[in-house]
Structures are given as C-alpha cells and as structure tokens.
Amino acid sequence: MSTRTDPSLSDSADRADDLRAEIDRTGYYPEVVADCVASAVAGEKVSSFFLHHEPTFDRDEVRRHLSVLVLTPSRLILAHTDEHAGDDLLPEPYTSTSTEAVRIDSVNSVVVTRMIANPTKGSSKPAEVVMTIGWGGVNRVDLEPAGCSDPNCDADHGYTGVLTPDDFSLRVSAAADGHDSVDRLLSFAESLSARTHSR
C-alpha cells in the first residue's frame, strides 16, 4: 500500500500553473473560469485539484457544466460554472459561476464509493467513483414511518429517519469520463482525506 506526503507540508509544490493549464485544456470559457477560481483561491498555494466537465440537457439543447475542486493549505474551494441561454434580464447567452470556500478544519467526512466490475476476477480499476464531502452546511434527511413489534398495533408511532451529510457529491465513470479521470478523482479524494486526518 503506497503512502503519500501530506499536501499541506511547506515543501509541496504550488500547482497553480497546472490548474490553469487544465482549465485551458477544457476549452470551456477558460478566462471566465480561471478568473473566478483564482479569485476564490486568493493567492494561496494550490496543493491539489480536480476538474469535471459534463453536459446537462435543457429540453432540446445541451448545456455544459464545469466543476473545479481546489485544495489549498487551509481551504477546500468548489467552483461551478454553467452556461445559459438569454432571458428577460440578460438577453445575450451568459455564464454563471458560483464559488464556495470551506475551511479544511470544517470538513468532517470524505466518503468515497468505488464500483468494481467483475470483482471475482481479482483487482481491477474502478469503473465508477462517487465522492461525497460533508462539512455540515447541508444534510439530507431520509424519513420513513416508525412502527413497533406488535403486528396488530395501529397506533401512530411518528417517523424515524437518518440524517446524512450531503454538502457536495461528484460521480465520475470510466465509461463517460475515462479511467484517467477516475484515477484523478481518487487521488484528489486521498489528498483531501489525508488533510482531514492530519488536523
């Protein structure tokens, strides 16, 4: 089992130039995306990053969405850029970018789910990965009617449920995004998990 150096250590490289090059490679409004991400990073060192470019379907049109995740020594930055058709307020086509900066010490869970095809054949690369990050901003509640052990009881026992952190979730598949993208997401998740462990 390999180990990796904690990316928060002072001798780790600043990957800001690599991040910019990756944003340029997507070809998805690179100047707009890079400007918003740089503003959110605010001059901190970029320890690790992950980009996910995906189409969304709006009636008969395809619109694109780009998620950029950046890990700095003190924060997790999430940036989302969408493109929109013109509307009543903005008649020209436009983009919207939202950024969120989360302190690393606020991240309380990094859940990574790997889907392995044909596991009986031995170790193989994941066909799909889902990463869910929780920091207490958003929780999902799954409720169901509560009951008791008496099969003849018709009393109202209220509800029971599970509260699950669900601030951010990202799914990447080898079929849609390629094995390299799956590997990069796993690497990013490992870097983030190491940071939550080391605090």
Side-chain angles (χ1 to χ4, degrees), residues 92-162:
E92 299 284 336
Y94 64 95
T95 62
S96 63
T97 301
S98 63
T99 59
E100 183 170 7
V102 181
R103 290 192 333 267
I104 286 296
D105 60 6
S106 297
V107 176
N108 51 42
S109 68
V110 181
V111 180
V112 179
T113 305
R114 297 169 173 85
M115 277 62 87
I116 307 289
N118 299 316
T120 56
K121 293 185 177 179
S123 179
S124 63
K125 288 191 171 188
E128 186 175 302
V129 171
V130 178
M131 179 183 69
T132 302
I133 306 170
W135 56 88
V138 178
N139 290 297
R140 183 181 71 248
V141 180
D142 295 319
L143 295 175
E144 62 182 28
C148 68
S149 58
D150 182 357
N152 298 316
C153 178
D154 59 0
D156 183 356
H157 294 283
Y159 288 86
T160 184
V162 177

Side-chain angles (χ1 to χ4, degrees), residues 13-89:
D14 185 356
R15 301 194 59 206
D17 290 341
D18 296 336
L19 171 59
R20 178 55 201 257
E22 192 67 22
I23 291 172
D24 288 343
R25 261 193 293 278
T26 68
Y28 180 73
Y29 308 113
E31 295 297 330
V32 172
V33 172
D35 182 58
C36 293
V37 170
S39 178
V41 170
E44 273 199 281
K45 180 170 60 179
V46 173
S47 302
S48 183
F49 63 86
F50 179 79
L51 276 70
H52 188 237
H53 190 196
E54 63 181 332
T56 57
F57 297 93
D58 181 15
R59 297 193 184 98
D60 57 346
E61 295 186 50
V62 177
R63 305 216 179 278
R64 296 172 294 170
H65 174 87
L66 180 67
S67 298
V68 181
L69 287 69
V70 180
L71 186 60
T72 76
S74 68
R75 296 175 299 148
L76 169 66
I77 310 291
L78 300 104
H80 303 281
T81 302
D82 291 281
E83 60 183 355
H84 309 273
D87 53 34
D88 293 339
L89 294 176

